[in-house]
Amino acid sequence: MNPIADSIIQSLNSQQKKAVLHENGGLLVVSGAGSGKTRVITSRIAYLLTHHQVHPDSIIALTFTNKAAREMKERIVSLVGESTKIPFIGTFHGYCLLLLRRFKQLTEMETFSILDQDDQQQLLKRIIKKFGCDKQVTASSIQSFISQQKNGSNSDSAMYLPPIFKELQNAYEEEKVRSHALDFDDLMIKVLHGFKKHPDFKAGFQERIKHILVDEYQDTNKVQHELLQQMSCNQDKTLSADSICAVGDEDQSIYSWRGANVSNMQDFKEDFAPVTVIKIEQNYRSVQPILQAANDVILNNKNRIPKELWSDKKATNRVLAIHCQSGYQEADIIARYIATLPESIKKSDVAILYRTHYQSRNIEEALIKNSIPYHIVGGLRFYERKEIKDILAYLRLVVNPYDRVSFLRIFNTPTRGLGAKVESMILERWEQEPFFDFKSILKTFLEGSNALSGIRAESIREFIDLFDGLSTDHEPSYVADSIMQNIGYRDYIKNHYDTDEARTKLENCKEFINSMMHSEKKTIISTGEPLSLQTFLHEVALLQEKIEEDKTKVESIHIMTLHAVKGLEFNTVFIMGLEEGLIPSSRSLNSAAAIEEERRLLYVGMTRAKERLIISYAQQRMSFGQINDQEPSRFIKEIPAKHSTTLHLYADPLFLCEQRLAAWRSGNMNVTFQTARSDIRLYGSRKTNSAQTKSFVSKVIKTNLPWNKNELVKHNTFGQGIIKQVEKTNDELYLLTIIFTQGQKKILSSFIQKI
């Protein structure tokens, strides 16, 4: 065996090895959370290259994000070395774009623009306004409807939508044709139709591509599933490829609202038959108690291939359920728990998860109050910022002068005195002359009996002149910088935004130019050819990643929705709001399939935790200005008591909550606490006796102890105070009664500083 191939196999467990060694036919790898699915798919590619000597050009690997593709490439290079050519590894959209650019007969267009989500919104808003139905429908609702129609995820509700939805869709498609533009859904649909309409294209593809690998198969939609059938199967549905390997986990299918079809995992066994199914159940991320609790929950789903995650990481007392009085108490308890975490646990290794963003307000306030830095995941992406979108629109017009969406975005940006009336005139003329590009259309307003005059005519001339001398042959950075100078874009930003916002926007523009120059250098080094403006724009359109965050940023807690946490992992994970109507969501309560997806969503959140998992729920919660009684989530009841500990803290003051949580974290669950009001035992320990209780009875300590009456002390929140009473709780901690300016408080000594 090739020594590289041998080393690849030696690093795998038995089930991973089976998946990598499998040779021909269909292969479905059911890879549980944290079980090393990326290792499996990258090792399989590396093994094909080194042991079977498969040519790289006959292998493709498809995934859903550029980040995942980049990680896979890096891993393969680490396995086979930099001298070995790497096969295509990228997103479905990226690969389909590659095919569309390579085979012109698929689009019947020499050049085309790609509309991202914001471009679609702008186009749809204009169409809706033209139809005069802007008070009836929104661009977002039409956009969602169109995407569902295209990716085959039509919901039953679409049957009851008014006819205007279909009319707007038709107008949208017609406008794209005139603009020589495609949206993201079109990229896959065009290729799918190409396989069906062009037998020579399909035959040539199948002759070249012999091994297909797909990551995160549970996230595929109907179009992607059918596309893979066309890529790998003959007309009689027998497999033409040497192998097709799908790696996924239907227990982590949480994107039905994007069109993901969880049934594709089950259908794969029939549509690519015969298929070998290999389960990978050993988890390398989480301790066993967390996996046991997650298994307990997901076991209640019926639409799944049975499996049970397990781990070599043994532990006890790692799953905690906290029963709170209110959402406010829930947030305070979580924040105080985080504040007392040992320094060995970095803030960036802690995550707080919730179902929807409106739940964040309480936890944000609690974190601020406790001086805990945090970061809400899901902010505005770099290429979605207005200043970047503006520059991109100018660049797109250089490449594609028929692009109406881009034209309308920047026709009056910066402002040129060309308002809505002029825009309407231009669009009306363009409707009459659909084969004219934007320059030709604008020139019709500078001549003839209907010519514009004065400032408006001069502004149109200046706009046309902006593009003189700019070519697709120029480097992207040169074109972008020239346009910014010609239109005075930097001054426009300074004059239209306050100082801080303008500074941020200008820095973004600078970073954009820098990123272009970096791409240009990288392309020259890797291909020996300059980076074309069209290639750069297509690459930007496919970008899914956020701009890299500042490395010097303060360590902060991550706050995000359960959907956003997919693919991440943390030492400690909090999941808030496990109540009916939240998790599961109110919209899912009348659908068995939706409840199963909500359960999968919780399962994903639970399996992000490596060492500790804390779930919380409240008896009451403020929602849209009203206090509502809450019912604990049905999912809580699915976790047996033997696999978790429950703390009923709704009747406890904050200091006692802190003490209970500290006891849970230390594993000392047989502690009895006493307050001046009542004797409250820590829930989870059922054994206690009077002798134990008496050993914790409060008594005043007056002398020869670390804390004394009338001593001046300080608390981070309440400021300075004077000790009124000292009560011993154990060998190290004391319960201090302190008089602050806000009133009298009882606080554990661990939260107090001497002055």
Side-chain angles (χ1 to χ4, degrees), residues 658-681:
E658 294 170 351
Q659 200 165 354
R660 287 170 173 269
L661 290 169
W664 173 76
R665 192 169 64 217
S666 68
N668 184 15
M669 299 302 293
N670 292 311
V671 177
T672 302
F673 302 103
Q674 180 167 317
T675 69
R677 296 179 292 108
S678 61
D679 190 14
I680 305 175
R681 183 175 52 78

Side-chain angles (χ1 to χ4, degrees), residues 136-137 141-142 144-146 148-149 154-167 169:
Q136 299 169 261
V137 297
S141 64
I142 300 298
S144 176
F145 168 76
I146 292 172
Q148 287 177 358
Q149 294 289 309
N154 306 358
S155 63
D156 294 337
S157 61
M159 298 170 55
Y160 305 102
L161 292 173
I164 190 65
F165 274 66
K166 194 65 180 177
E167 293 178 34
Q169 181 185 10

Side-chain angles (χ1 to χ4, degrees), residues 598-632:
E598 292 290 303
R599 188 178 282 112
R600 292 194 294 268
L601 188 58
L602 175 60
Y603 174 83
V604 166
M606 295 174 74
T607 54
R608 301 308 99 191
K610 294 188 288 187
E611 294 293 336
R612 293 191 183 275
L613 172 66
I614 300 98
I615 58 180
S616 58
Y617 55 101
Q619 286 191 176
Q620 296 179 326
R621 192 174 294 277
M622 180 74 76
S623 178
F624 303 107
Q626 294 183 334
I627 297 177
N628 299 313
D629 292 333
Q630 299 295 102
E631 181 73 20

Side-chain angles (χ1 to χ4, degrees), residues 151 189 272 282 304 387 425 428 612 694 708:
N151 65 37
I189 290 172
F272 299 92
Q282 183 176 0
R304 63 188 295 263
E387 59 273 20
M425 292 167 57
E428 184 177 348
R612 293 191 183 275
K694 289 178 181 177
N708 296 286

